[in-house]
PDB file of all heavy atoms in Angstrom:
ATOM      1  N   GLU R1062       7.877  -8.234   5.404  1.00 94.00           N
ATOM      2  CA  GLU R1062       7.282  -7.437   4.332  1.00 94.00           C
ATOM      3  C   GLU R1062       5.820  -7.168   4.668  1.00 94.00           C
ATOM      4  O   GLU R1062       4.918  -7.713   4.033  1.00 94.00           O
ATOM      5  CB  GLU R1062       7.381  -8.175   3.002  1.00 94.00           C
ATOM      6  CG  GLU R1062       8.797  -8.420   2.534  1.00 94.00           C
ATOM      7  CD  GLU R1062       8.816  -9.122   1.190  1.00 94.00           C
ATOM      8  OE1 GLU R1062       8.145 -10.171   1.047  1.00 94.00           O
ATOM      9  OE2 GLU R1062       9.485  -8.612   0.287  1.00 94.00           O
ATOM     10  N   PRO R1063       5.554  -6.334   5.673  1.00 96.00           N
ATOM     11  CA  PRO R1063       4.170  -6.142   6.106  1.00 96.00           C
ATOM     12  C   PRO R1063       3.240  -5.625   5.010  1.00 96.00           C
ATOM     13  O   PRO R1063       2.058  -5.964   4.998  1.00 96.00           O
ATOM     14  CB  PRO R1063       4.285  -5.143   7.263  1.00 96.00           C
ATOM     15  CG  PRO R1063       5.622  -4.506   7.102  1.00 96.00           C
ATOM     16  CD  PRO R1063       6.490  -5.506   6.421  1.00 96.00           C
ATOM     17  N   GLU R1064       3.784  -4.878   4.062  1.00 95.00           N
ATOM     18  CA  GLU R1064       2.939  -4.344   2.989  1.00 95.00           C
ATOM     19  C   GLU R1064       2.446  -5.439   2.051  1.00 95.00           C
ATOM     20  O   GLU R1064       1.523  -5.229   1.272  1.00 95.00           O
ATOM     21  CB  GLU R1064       3.675  -3.244   2.206  1.00 95.00           C
ATOM     22  CG  GLU R1064       4.928  -3.688   1.495  1.00 95.00           C
ATOM     23  CD  GLU R1064       6.176  -3.806   2.385  1.00 95.00           C
ATOM     24  OE1 GLU R1064       6.127  -3.445   3.575  1.00 95.00           O
ATOM     25  OE2 GLU R1064       7.191  -4.283   1.864  1.00 95.00           O
ATOM     26  N   HIS R1065       3.025  -6.647   2.131  1.00 95.00           N
ATOM     27  CA  HIS R1065       2.593  -7.774   1.309  1.00 95.00           C
ATOM     28  C   HIS R1065       1.887  -8.862   2.120  1.00 95.00           C
ATOM     29  O   HIS R1065       1.619  -9.953   1.610  1.00 95.00           O
ATOM     30  CB  HIS R1065       3.785  -8.396   0.563  1.00 95.00           C
ATOM     31  CG  HIS R1065       4.445  -7.446  -0.386  1.00 95.00           C
ATOM     32  ND1 HIS R1065       3.822  -6.968  -1.505  1.00 95.00           N
ATOM     33  CD2 HIS R1065       5.672  -6.863  -0.355  1.00 95.00           C
ATOM     34  CE1 HIS R1065       4.634  -6.136  -2.147  1.00 95.00           C
ATOM     35  NE2 HIS R1065       5.757  -6.047  -1.455  1.00 95.00           N
ATOM     36  N   LEU R1066       1.581  -8.581   3.374  1.00 97.00           N
ATOM     37  CA  LEU R1066       1.012  -9.594   4.252  1.00 97.00           C
ATOM     38  C   LEU R1066      -0.361 -10.068   3.776  1.00 97.00           C
ATOM     39  O   LEU R1066      -0.679 -11.252   3.885  1.00 97.00           O
ATOM     40  CB  LEU R1066       0.930  -9.067   5.691  1.00 97.00           C
ATOM     41  CG  LEU R1066       0.538 -10.082   6.762  1.00 97.00           C
ATOM     42  CD1 LEU R1066       1.547 -11.221   6.844  1.00 97.00           C
ATOM     43  CD2 LEU R1066       0.413  -9.384   8.125  1.00 97.00           C
ATOM     44  N   TRP R1067      -1.185  -9.189   3.226  1.00 95.00           N
ATOM     45  CA  TRP R1067      -2.521  -9.570   2.737  1.00 95.00           C
ATOM     46  C   TRP R1067      -2.391 -10.697   1.709  1.00 95.00           C
ATOM     47  O   TRP R1067      -3.043 -11.730   1.822  1.00 95.00           O
ATOM     48  CB  TRP R1067      -3.226  -8.343   2.149  1.00 95.00           C
ATOM     49  CG  TRP R1067      -4.642  -8.559   1.735  1.00 95.00           C
ATOM     50  CD1 TRP R1067      -5.755  -8.537   2.542  1.00 95.00           C
ATOM     51  CD2 TRP R1067      -5.124  -8.802   0.404  1.00 95.00           C
ATOM     52  NE1 TRP R1067      -6.890  -8.757   1.797  1.00 95.00           N
ATOM     53  CE2 TRP R1067      -6.540  -8.919   0.483  1.00 95.00           C
ATOM     54  CE3 TRP R1067      -4.509  -8.928  -0.834  1.00 95.00           C
ATOM     55  CZ2 TRP R1067      -7.335  -9.157  -0.636  1.00 95.00           C
ATOM     56  CZ3 TRP R1067      -5.301  -9.158  -1.950  1.00 95.00           C
ATOM     57  CH2 TRP R1067      -6.703  -9.272  -1.842  1.00 95.00           C
ATOM     58  N   GLU R1068      -1.514 -10.500   0.716  1.00 95.00           N
ATOM     59  CA  GLU R1068      -1.318 -11.513  -0.309  1.00 95.00           C
ATOM     60  C   GLU R1068      -0.713 -12.790   0.281  1.00 95.00           C
ATOM     61  O   GLU R1068      -1.104 -13.898  -0.072  1.00 95.00           O
ATOM     62  CB  GLU R1068      -0.406 -10.990  -1.428  1.00 95.00           C
ATOM     63  CG  GLU R1068      -0.983  -9.843  -2.221  1.00 95.00           C
ATOM     64  CD  GLU R1068      -0.585  -8.479  -1.656  1.00 95.00           C
ATOM     65  OE1 GLU R1068      -0.032  -8.406  -0.534  1.00 95.00           O
ATOM     66  OE2 GLU R1068      -0.855  -7.470  -2.335  1.00 95.00           O
ATOM     67  N   GLN R1069       0.269 -12.629   1.185  1.00 95.00           N
ATOM     68  CA  GLN R1069       0.942 -13.791   1.767  1.00 95.00           C
ATOM     69  C   GLN R1069      -0.022 -14.664   2.571  1.00 95.00           C
ATOM     70  O   GLN R1069       0.010 -15.894   2.457  1.00 95.00           O
ATOM     71  CB  GLN R1069       2.101 -13.328   2.659  1.00 95.00           C
ATOM     72  CG  GLN R1069       3.234 -12.691   1.899  1.00 95.00           C
ATOM     73  CD  GLN R1069       4.214 -11.962   2.803  1.00 95.00           C
ATOM     74  OE1 GLN R1069       4.025 -11.869   4.016  1.00 95.00           O
ATOM     75  NE2 GLN R1069       5.263 -11.427   2.211  1.00 95.00           N
ATOM     76  N   VAL R1070      -0.857 -14.034   3.364  1.00 96.00           N
ATOM     77  CA  VAL R1070      -1.810 -14.799   4.182  1.00 96.00           C
ATOM     78  C   VAL R1070      -2.811 -15.522   3.284  1.00 96.00           C
ATOM     79  O   VAL R1070      -3.111 -16.701   3.506  1.00 96.00           O
ATOM     80  CB  VAL R1070      -2.533 -13.892   5.198  1.00 96.00           C
ATOM     81  CG1 VAL R1070      -3.679 -14.631   5.879  1.00 96.00           C
ATOM     82  CG2 VAL R1070      -1.554 -13.374   6.245  1.00 96.00           C
ATOM     83  N   LEU R1071      -3.304 -14.869   2.252  1.00 94.00           N
ATOM     84  CA  LEU R1071      -4.245 -15.520   1.346  1.00 94.00           C
ATOM     85  C   LEU R1071      -3.582 -16.683   0.604  1.00 94.00           C
ATOM     86  O   LEU R1071      -4.164 -17.764   0.494  1.00 94.00           O
ATOM     87  CB  LEU R1071      -4.822 -14.515   0.344  1.00 94.00           C
ATOM     88  CG  LEU R1071      -5.839 -13.535   0.918  1.00 94.00           C
ATOM     89  CD1 LEU R1071      -6.185 -12.460  -0.109  1.00 94.00           C
ATOM     90  CD2 LEU R1071      -7.099 -14.254   1.392  1.00 94.00           C
ATOM     91  N   ARG R1072      -2.352 -16.489   0.115  1.00 94.00           N
ATOM     92  CA  ARG R1072      -1.664 -17.544  -0.641  1.00 94.00           C
ATOM     93  C   ARG R1072      -1.474 -18.818   0.168  1.00 94.00           C
ATOM     94  O   ARG R1072      -1.559 -19.908  -0.355  1.00 94.00           O
ATOM     95  CB  ARG R1072      -0.295 -17.050  -1.100  1.00 94.00           C
ATOM     96  CG  ARG R1072      -0.342 -16.368  -2.423  1.00 94.00           C
ATOM     97  CD  ARG R1072       1.051 -16.161  -3.010  1.00 94.00           C
ATOM     98  NE  ARG R1072       0.970 -15.052  -3.933  1.00 94.00           N
ATOM     99  CZ  ARG R1072       1.415 -13.827  -3.698  1.00 94.00           C
ATOM    100  NH1 ARG R1072       2.021 -13.553  -2.559  1.00 94.00           N
ATOM    101  NH2 ARG R1072       1.274 -12.881  -4.586  1.00 94.00           N
ATOM    102  N   ARG R1073      -1.225 -18.695   1.442  1.00 94.00           N
ATOM    103  CA  ARG R1073      -0.929 -19.889   2.242  1.00 94.00           C
ATOM    104  C   ARG R1073      -2.183 -20.664   2.655  1.00 94.00           C
ATOM    105  O   ARG R1073      -2.069 -21.714   3.271  1.00 94.00           O
ATOM    106  CB  ARG R1073      -0.104 -19.509   3.476  1.00 94.00           C
ATOM    107  CG  ARG R1073      -0.871 -18.819   4.563  1.00 94.00           C
ATOM    108  CD  ARG R1073       0.017 -18.581   5.768  1.00 94.00           C
ATOM    109  NE  ARG R1073      -0.735 -18.021   6.859  1.00 94.00           N
ATOM    110  CZ  ARG R1073      -0.400 -16.956   7.544  1.00 94.00           C
ATOM    111  NH1 ARG R1073       0.727 -16.315   7.253  1.00 94.00           N
ATOM    112  NH2 ARG R1073      -1.160 -16.524   8.530  1.00 94.00           N
TER     113      ARG R1073
END
Side-chain angles (χ1 to χ4, degrees):
E1062 297 182 308
E1064 62 280 354
H1065 298 294
L1066 188 61
W1067 186 82
E1068 295 92 349
Q1069 292 167 357
V1070 170
L1071 287 172
R1072 271 193 204 104
R1073 74 176 185 230

